[in-house]
Amino acid sequence: MKLEPAEAARLREVDKRFLWHPFTPLEAWCAPDRQPLILTRGEGVRLWDSEGNAYIDGNSSIWTNLHGHNHPRINAAIRSQLDAVAHTSFLGFTNPPAIRLAEALIGYFPEKTYGRIFLSDNGSTAVEVAIKMAIQYWQIAGFPQRRKFAAFSNAYHGDTLGAASLGGIPLFHERFQDSHFPVHRLGSTEELIGLPRADVECLAGVVIEPMIQGAAGMRLWPQGMLAHLRRWCDQNDVLLIADEIMTGFGRTGKMFACEHEAIWPDFLALAKGISGGYLPVAATLIRPKIVEAFEKGPVETTTFFYGHSYTGNALGCAAALASWQILEEERVIEKLRVSTFSELLVSRLSPLGRVSEIRSIGLIAGVDVAPDGKPLLGARVCQAARCHGLLTRPIRDTIVLMPPLCIEDAELETMIEALRLAILEF
Ligand SMILES: *Cc1c(COP(=O)(O)O)cnc(C)c1O
């Protein structure tokens, strides 16, 4: 969908006047020579701007899209729900897509792995649910002193104040430190094991991005670490919260990243890809032992005091259910082009002098472009990549590649070639 140049110019101007974009400095965004891309259409792994230029969506629209844009099955599911009703309250009422989504997700796991699902709107709220439910669980269980959390250095769990308290990225989190609740910050599992007994007995839970930290710059954990963490939590009666907001739904080559080390967390936080990248939906899956604690007792104690107005949104759940059916029925994970992806990364990008390291798992990669004194090369490489038909966003000097799961070999080649040409410009 092209826009008239005059209309595009007007929209850009109004955007610069009235809107405030996430993680974006206003001065740079509003600079007269900055021409923000206006994205107007999508199809499969491609997006089009208002001038009709096509791009590969190299980071799945900030890590959300799974099956491509404009997917006929998800579109149809949303349209059909829209003809029925868009949204009804989940406080005291229920609706078919939310129920069917819960049934499908819980049914994926071995029986009795997860007892219930708490729905919310985004990754941060999925983590907030786990934090608050863990605290209240320990109150019900008679250990109210267990209300602290341990989280890893460079972790990212979202931007609301509770989820951000768990975050450990200095640039994002340090400035708000005094307003966060205190956490035990861990450089490694060894530091957790080394915590004094008295501190362990005040822990409600430990939170981790399993297998790979995303916002930290696509950093992989050592093999075996997750299984080790699970064992430690079991031995010390500490709840394990896995933040699979980025890694869930096939992104790492398995449906959930925890499957790489054959563990299940006590809380599994899901968002981003859950709706196929269509609508804001999130889910926190909860182990039966936690659910059971809430199942009987005085209402003041066992009511979980948490919720949002759009919890259980019917359109979002309909999209999520359709996305899940595609994952299962079209055997998306079996067909992922993981080996083509990793081979192309190595053969096309690692010979480049600017590339200092490539890390990847499944269809997620971080490509470090060695700065050798040049600050923010990442942003400039991504800007250059646009001219070669690739959209993505860096994390400092790490270029993120995380295409939709439906990407085919030829498209992978186009995407990586675009990045190669962009890197060669520097
Ligand atoms: C994106 C992300 C979040 C936050 O999700 P939002 O939907 O942006 O609130 C939390 N944890 C991880 C690992 C993420 O990648």
Side-chain angles (χ1 to χ4, degrees):
M1 237 181 57
K2 285 200 201 178
L3 294 178
E4 287 299 324
E7 175 62 358
R10 193 189 73 81
L11 289 178
R12 282 198 184 93
E13 200 164 298
V14 176
D15 178 299
K16 287 181 176 184
R17 193 138 47 101
F18 292 137
L19 283 166
W20 199 328
H21 292 257
F23 289 91
T24 306
L26 288 173
E27 188 179 6
W29 181 260
C30 297
D33 60 347
R34 173 99 174 228
Q35 298 274 318
L37 276 192
I38 307 177
L39 297 171
T40 52
R41 194 166 77 80
E43 184 76 49
V45 300
R46 287 192 167 74
L47 291 169
W48 280 263
D49 69 17
S50 55
E51 289 169 15
N53 301 306
Y55 306 90
I56 290 196
D57 186 357
N59 74 348
S60 294
S61 294
I62 207 73
W63 318 354
T64 59
N65 192 284
L66 293 186
H67 311 297
H69 297 279
N70 226 331
H71 194 285
R73 236 174 128 171
I74 305 180
N75 287 10
I78 295 173
R79 287 204 181 99
S80 135
Q81 182 58 42
L82 189 58
D83 286 336
V85 65
H87 178 70
T88 53
S89 172
F90 217 55
L91 284 70
F93 305 101
T94 192
N95 68 71
I99 299 167
R100 294 188 181 119
L101 175 64
E103 182 183 35
L105 288 179
I106 296 226
Y108 171 79
F109 298 89
E111 210 177 333
K112 304 213 166 77
T113 305
Y114 289 105
R116 286 176 192 270
I117 291 187
F118 198 93
L119 295 170
S120 62
D121 315 352
N122 59 67
S124 308
T125 59
V127 171
E128 297 284 341
V129 167
I131 295 171
K132 289 200 172 179
M133 199 177 277
I135 293 171
Q136 193 172 338
Y137 165 75
W138 287 116
Q139 290 171 358
I140 297 172
F143 298 93
Q145 73 280 12
R146 282 201 181 264
R147 57 185 176 78
K148 291 244 178 128
F149 292 86
F152 289 90
S153 304
N154 296 304
Y156 180 78
H157 299 292
D159 284 330
T160 56
L161 217 40
S165 297
L166 302 175
I169 298 180
L171 180 67
F172 300 171
H173 298 120
E174 242 164 30
R175 72 198 67 242
F176 301 117
Q177 204 62 39
D178 291 346
S179 308
H180 288 164
F181 62 70
V183 303
H184 292 287
R185 185 66 55 201
L186 309 168
S188 63
T189 27
E190 284 64 45
E191 286 183 31
L192 183 64
I193 293 161
L195 274 186
R197 194 71 241 152
D199 287 338
V200 173
E201 283 169 4
C202 291
L203 275 182
V206 182
V207 59
I208 186 168
E209 293 159 83
M211 300 309 286
I212 178 169
Q213 287 187 319
M218 303 304 153
R219 294 198 203 181
L220 293 152
W221 290 116
Q223 212 189 336
M225 184 265 204
L226 188 60
H228 189 190
L229 185 61
R230 176 70 273 185
R231 280 197 301 280
W232 184 92
C233 287
D234 285 338
Q235 286 157 4
N236 292 279
D237 226 5
V238 172
L239 300 175
L240 180 61
I241 302 170
D243 172 348
E244 291 229 29
I245 291 155
M246 174 184 79
T247 54
F249 303 101
R251 209 61 89 175
T252 68
K254 303 231 184 231
M255 185 67 88
F256 298 104
C258 286
E259 292 174 46
H260 287 280
E261 299 207 350
I263 65 115
W264 297 122
D266 299 295
F267 292 99
L268 178 62
L270 303 172
K272 287 197 169 112
I274 191 172
S275 67
Y278 265 65
L279 287 160
V281 177
T284 309
L285 277 69
I286 305 136
R287 288 296 280 267
K289 77 163 184 189
I290 299 160
V291 173
E292 282 158 19
F294 285 81
E295 272 173 346
K296 281 200 188 73
V299 286
E300 327 72 82
T301 324
T302 59
T303 304
F304 181 47
F305 289 97
Y306 189 99
H308 294 285
S309 3
Y310 280 98
T311 293
N313 176 260
L315 288 180
C317 291
L321 183 62
S323 173
W324 179 262
Q325 287 165 343
I326 294 165
L327 275 168
E328 287 215 312
E329 290 165 23
E330 299 181 17
R331 302 200 310 212
V332 168
I333 291 168
E334 281 170 50
K335 296 183 196 155
L336 286 183
R337 312 307 297 158
V338 175
S339 55
T340 315
F341 183 52
S342 57
E343 281 158 23
L344 283 168
L345 285 168
V346 172
S347 65
R348 302 289 171 85
L349 301 180
S350 60
L352 303 181
R354 286 261 171 232
V355 173
S356 58
E357 191 174 89
I358 301 173
R359 297 172 295 281
S360 81
I361 179 171
L363 285 189
I364 302 176
V367 178
D368 289 351
V369 282
D372 71 320
K374 286 198 184 183
L376 297 178
L377 193 60
R380 290 158 63 206
V381 167
C382 289
Q383 189 68 29
R386 282 188 192 181
C387 303
H388 300 289
L390 167 65
L391 291 185
T392 188
R393 189 179 161 89
I395 300 166
R396 274 146 293 168
D397 286 314
T398 302
I399 313 296
V400 175
L401 288 180
M402 196 189 301
L405 305 186
C406 61
I407 195 165
E408 291 174 2
D409 286 354
E411 296 163 331
L412 277 170
E413 193 150 352
T414 308
M415 174 177 80
I416 288 171
E417 182 59 13
L419 180 57
R420 192 180 75 88
L421 293 173
I423 294 172
L424 280 175
E425 290 181 23
F426 296 90

